[in-house]
Amino acid sequence: MVVDWKGIYNRVSVSTVALFTLAMAAASGLGALPFFFMELDPEWAGICNGMAAGVMLAASFDLIQEGQEHGAGTWVVIGILAGAIFILLCKKFLEQYGEVSMLDIKGAGATKAVLVIGIMTLHSFGEGSGVGVSFAGPKGFTQGLSVTMAIAVHNIPEGLAVSMVLASRGVSPQNAMLWSVITSLPQPIVAVPSFICADAFNKVLPFCTGFAAGCMIWMVVAEVLPDAFKEASPSPVASAATLSVAFMEALSVLLQNFSHGYSSEDASGFFVSVLFGLGPLLGGLAVVSFALAFRLKHALLMGAASGVTFVLGAWRPLQLLVSSKMGFYPLMLLLTLGAAFVHFSSSSILKILCNKRTSNNLPAVAGSATSPLTLQSFIACGAVAFHALAEGLALGVAAPKAYGLGRHMVLPVSLHGLPRGAAVASCVFGATDSWHGSLAAAVLIGFVGPISAIGSILAGIDYSGLDYVMVMACGGLLPCFARIVERAVSLDMRKSICGVVIGVGFAALCLTSTKLVCLHTPYCNSAPEAVR
């Protein structure tokens, strides 16, 4: 029996639109992640305001262009003028209202923060309606998924812009992340009715996009840039704003190229690639939850991270050896090359950032509040990222061939990513005792695989040579985590050994479960050379 997958892809339900647009809105919160690791001094606060101004200007250009594509340019012009008048009246109203406060901000700073958040929220209405209309279009799901993914990626720098405005005024990273997500919540709220009433929303879309663009342009010129010039000199502010505009426009061009010539296979591949980032996040959440609930010690966490990575490093090489896809000596050579590459790279980084004297087998960090163990943990996470990049390339070969929009791949792909997120979260938590940093590390590692997989799909690579890259990446895990486990043993031998055993068991369970699920679903049929 021949299954009409094209027809299945094009059928879209209201719940599907709501689910995908909720995930799209949540992507805005990722823009606040850098502020969990850094504090802004006045000079950097001014530069960040300049970057925010650039992002807002670029978003305005995109909205104007989108409005012109959906209808007469006259309504876009009317919308721009109406938006500028509206935001001016709002500012005057807030000034007459008296002293405005928001979170930890009071006075004029709070007024500007309220206006920025309000404007970014307004412009989300236009994006939400655009997504709903795209799902209702002739190409149905494939077109809607493409537009949703494009706006989700676009939401990250916009969330960064909101977070920069708030962080420069002393707002905590948690609140900045929350408000970044709130500014994008109109997207799923508007997407559903616009999907149901696509024709009606198509008619008002030009005015809405012009209105949001007018609000942002007025705010940038009247408020954001003047604030930036007060805190930093004009040259770095102008450079930051210009680079931000260039980055956003380059991102828009790239995402438009994604949309042209897409097919059901492309949509399936992109969807499965994005899911590849879900596993590390869930693994990080599991580690943080257990560490906080049971107050796990640093030695145990670092041991667990080492146990997980040792299994990750041995898994694929053993598969290749047992299946006779690669000989013993070539395998050992590639593992050695990967270990040597990562060892010399990490040593070079440590020499640049650290003094020559040593403490507990790790150099003392010069001119920095970062501890030696924290620095070594970050380098180890970099080795895990290299491993995720190699696996992402392999997934990019398999994902476009997945049946049924990759629904059979959701479970195995998520299971396969759990150990990677658990490894980096355990490593960072054990070194820094920061659950925020652990989750952020898991999220960042989760991004590497999908980006690599999507790049593999766009480049159209085949599986030739990827096993060699994978084995080298496995070898790169060994030297970094050998030093981590050495440090753990020096803290508490018994707990570190217990952690290694837990990590080995957890990783082996996840990867074995992936293999079992793979053998009993059409997953392996997607790309046998990548998963068998």
Side-chain angles (χ1 to χ4, degrees):
M1 183 179 68
V2 179
V3 180
D4 183 13
W5 289 114
K6 185 176 181 181
I8 292 174
Y9 288 136
N10 289 336
R11 296 173 196 162
V12 185
S13 65
V14 172
S15 59
T16 300
V17 176
L19 179 63
F20 276 88
T21 50
L22 276 171
M24 178 182 74
S28 300
L30 299 175
L33 285 178
F35 300 101
F36 284 93
F37 305 98
M38 56 181 286
E39 293 183 3
L40 296 176
D41 59 27
E43 178 76 14
W44 275 104
I47 293 173
C48 283
N49 273 325
M51 292 173 65
V55 170
M56 293 171 72
L57 284 175
S60 302
F61 302 154
D62 289 342
L63 286 169
I64 292 171
Q65 182 180 2
E66 182 182 351
Q68 290 173 340
E69 290 173 354
H70 279 82
T74 304
W75 282 108
V76 178
V77 174
I78 295 172
I80 292 172
L81 296 175
I85 294 170
F86 173 77
I87 200 67
L88 177 61
L89 294 175
C90 286
K91 184 175 184 297
K92 291 187 176 297
F93 172 77
L94 289 173
E95 288 174 348
Q96 292 175 356
Y97 185 76
E99 183 174 313
V100 179
S101 62
M102 176 186 173
L103 302 174
D104 298 326
I105 318 171
K106 293 183 179 180
T111 300
K112 292 170 186 176
V114 169
L115 288 173
V116 168
I117 288 174
I119 289 167
M120 298 303 282
T121 304
L122 277 174
H123 111 279
S124 294
F125 280 92
E127 291 180 337
S129 60
V131 172
V133 169
S134 68
F135 272 112
K139 295 184 179 179
F141 187 85
T142 53
Q143 183 178 19
L145 178 62
S146 176
V147 174
T148 301
M149 290 180 62
I151 294 180
V153 175
H154 202 264
N155 278 347
I156 297 173
E158 289 182 355
L160 177 62
V162 174
S163 299
M164 284 188 292
V165 171
L166 295 176
S168 65
R169 289 166 172 79
V171 175
S172 68
Q174 295 92 332
N175 285 328
M177 177 177 284
L178 175 64
W179 282 102
S180 297
V181 174
I182 288 173
T183 60
S184 294
L185 283 182
Q187 291 172 353
I189 293 172
V190 175
V192 172
S194 66
F195 168 70
I196 298 170
C197 310
D199 291 338
F201 273 84
N202 237 336
K203 293 176 182 177
V204 300
L205 195 59
F207 175 81
C208 292
T209 56
F211 185 86
C215 290
M216 281 197 283
I217 292 170
W218 192 96
M219 188 67 189
V220 165
V221 177
E223 301 290 347
V224 180
L225 283 177
D227 277 358
F229 292 136
K230 289 177 184 176
E231 296 161 334
S233 56
S235 293
V237 171
S239 300
T242 304
L243 288 172
S244 296
V245 172
F247 170 77
M248 291 293 286
E249 288 304 303
L251 187 61
S252 296
V253 171
L254 183 63
L255 294 173
Q256 284 174 5
N257 290 336
F258 285 178
S259 301
H260 292 321
Y262 55 78
S263 64
S264 298
E265 285 191 353
D266 293 331
S268 172
F270 293 146
F271 178 56
V272 173
S273 298
V274 171
L275 287 175
F276 198 44
L278 181 62
L281 175 59
L282 294 176
L285 282 170
V287 165
V288 169
S289 300
F290 275 97
L292 293 175
F294 298 102
R295 299 182 180 179
L296 302 181
K297 300 298 183 182
H298 294 185
L300 189 144
L301 287 168
M302 288 187 287
S306 303
V308 169
T309 51
F310 289 154
V311 173
L312 288 177
W315 191 263
R316 187 58 180 167
L318 283 175
Q319 280 186 317
L320 294 171
L321 194 61
V322 170
S323 62
S324 302
K325 287 186 177 180
M326 190 176 293
F328 177 77
Y329 292 110
L331 192 72
M332 294 305 297
L333 177 62
L334 289 169
L335 286 172
T336 303
L337 286 174
F341 171 74
V342 172
H343 173 72
F344 288 119
S345 300
S346 60
S347 298
S348 301
I349 294 171
L350 288 170
K351 284 181 181 179
I352 293 171
L353 299 178
C354 303
N355 292 322
K356 297 292 185 181
R357 62 181 182 276
T358 60
S359 174
N360 292 324
N361 297 324
L362 286 174
V365 181
S368 172
T370 305
S371 70
L373 179 59
T374 301
L375 184 59
Q376 185 64 58
S377 298
F378 289 154
I379 293 173
C381 290
V384 177
F386 179 35
H387 184 268
L389 185 147
E391 287 201 330
L393 292 175
L395 179 69
V397 175
K401 303 171 186 176
Y403 306 134
L405 199 66
R407 67 175 183 271
H408 296 296
M409 296 182 74
V410 174
L411 181 58
V413 165
S414 300
L415 279 172
H416 198 72
L418 282 175
R420 189 178 303 111
V424 296
S426 299
C427 190
V428 173
F429 207 133
T432 65
D433 202 27
S434 167
W435 69 268
H436 299 104
S438 302
L439 284 181
V443 170
L444 292 174
I445 289 296
F447 264 106
V448 175
I451 290 171
S452 174
I454 290 172
S456 172
I457 294 170
L458 294 174
I461 67 172
D462 57 24
Y463 199 73
S464 303
L466 288 185
D467 277 334
Y468 302 111
V469 178
M470 175 61 72
V471 174
M472 286 187 64
C474 290
L477 294 172
L478 302 178
C480 288
F481 282 91
R483 300 187 74 176
I484 295 295
V485 77
E486 182 183 356
R487 172 66 176 173
V489 168
S490 69
L491 291 174
D492 190 320
M493 178 178 290
R494 189 177 67 176
K495 290 188 182 300
S496 62
I497 293 174
C498 181
V500 170
V501 172
I502 291 172
V504 168
F506 174 76
L509 177 64
C510 289
L511 296 178
T512 303
S513 300
T514 302
K515 188 69 176 177
L516 292 174
V517 172
C518 164
L519 292 173
H520 292 87
T521 68
Y523 172 57
C524 286
N525 297 327
S526 298
E529 71 277 14
V531 294
R532 284 181 176 169

